[in-house]
Amino acid sequence: MTKPLFAFNFVGLRVSFSAAALISFGVLALAAAALAGWLAHLRLGPALAAGALSALLFFVFELLHQAGHAVAARLTGYPMRGLHFFSVFARSLYPDDEPDLAPRLHLRRALGGFGVNVVLGLLSWPLAAYLFPRGTEILPPAVAVAGWLAAFSAVTNGLILGLGALVPLRLPGGGLTDGGTLLHYWRELRAE
Ligand SMILES: [Zn+2]
């Protein structure tokens, strides 16, 4: 695991960040500002505000995703101890001295995250459809920024932190995505 740069406590979970995480959020803010400027026809100031708010929202969406895992983990009786942001994404952390758990408990913990984001994505969709500027339409900057943020929420929650989390992949620096964890323990369950 990369060394934490700083950490804080959030509802009993230790939330830590690597230096790469801070840089990643900065890159996300700039990329979102460029996209918002282009797609929602924003001037530089509102585009930069949209970019910074997008990075902040993504952080909150990932935190809520991890809160979903934390609730699911608590319900299994084997709670998470924290989460570590290694990029704009975080890894759930469990105690090192945890006993070997039944595959179905791992499955329940891994399933706790993505649903939160699918719901957030679906809730954002109508707002995005209503507020996002159409064609070359010029809206008041606050409305255009709100439209961008709703669309950003619909796409990042629905496709990245929601359905995207179910794509089985290996994470840089070790570990698996939720999809990778689900596949691993589903195979173990079938082999039992
Ligand atoms: Zn997850």
Side-chain angles (χ1 to χ4, degrees):
M1 194 174 96
T2 42
K3 201 168 126 42
L5 194 66
F6 69 96
F8 63 86
N9 282 316
F10 171 70
V11 294
L13 295 170
R14 186 182 142 87
V15 184
S16 62
F17 298 82
S18 68
L22 293 192
I23 295 166
S24 305
F25 277 108
V27 171
L28 174 63
L30 290 176
L35 266 181
W38 175 40
L39 296 174
H41 320 297
L42 296 170
R43 289 175 189 277
L44 185 62
L48 289 174
L53 289 171
S54 299
L56 190 66
L57 276 182
F58 196 91
F59 166 70
V60 172
F61 299 153
E62 175 67 49
L63 208 55
L64 292 173
H65 176 106
Q66 294 293 337
H69 284 304
V71 169
R74 205 164 280 258
L75 291 174
T76 65
Y78 294 94
M80 268 167 69
R81 64 178 168 83
L83 53 125
H84 177 68
F85 278 88
F86 60 92
S87 66
V88 292
F89 300 107
R91 189 192 321 280
S92 315
L93 302 176
Y94 296 100
D96 296 327
D97 57 354
E98 198 168 61
D100 276 343
L101 302 184
R104 64 183 172 80
L105 295 181
H106 282 289
L107 290 173
R108 277 170 53 191
R109 295 199 303 198
L111 281 169
F114 85 99
V116 175
N117 302 101
V118 168
V119 170
L120 286 172
L122 288 174
L123 290 176
S124 308
W125 199 262
L127 196 62
Y130 181 63
L131 290 176
F132 202 81
R134 281 167 187 75
T136 54
E137 185 183 18
I138 301 294
L139 294 172
V143 177
V145 169
W148 160 263
L149 292 175
F152 178 81
S153 170
V155 172
T156 55
N157 276 304
L159 301 180
I160 299 175
L161 295 169
L163 299 179
L166 299 179
V167 178
L169 291 176
R170 217 159 260 292
L171 297 172
L176 297 165
T177 58
D178 292 338
T181 305
L182 290 169
L183 188 64
H184 176 84
Y185 288 107
W186 180 71
R187 281 179 177 151
E188 276 201 4
L189 192 69
R190 298 230 330 180
E192 268 183 359

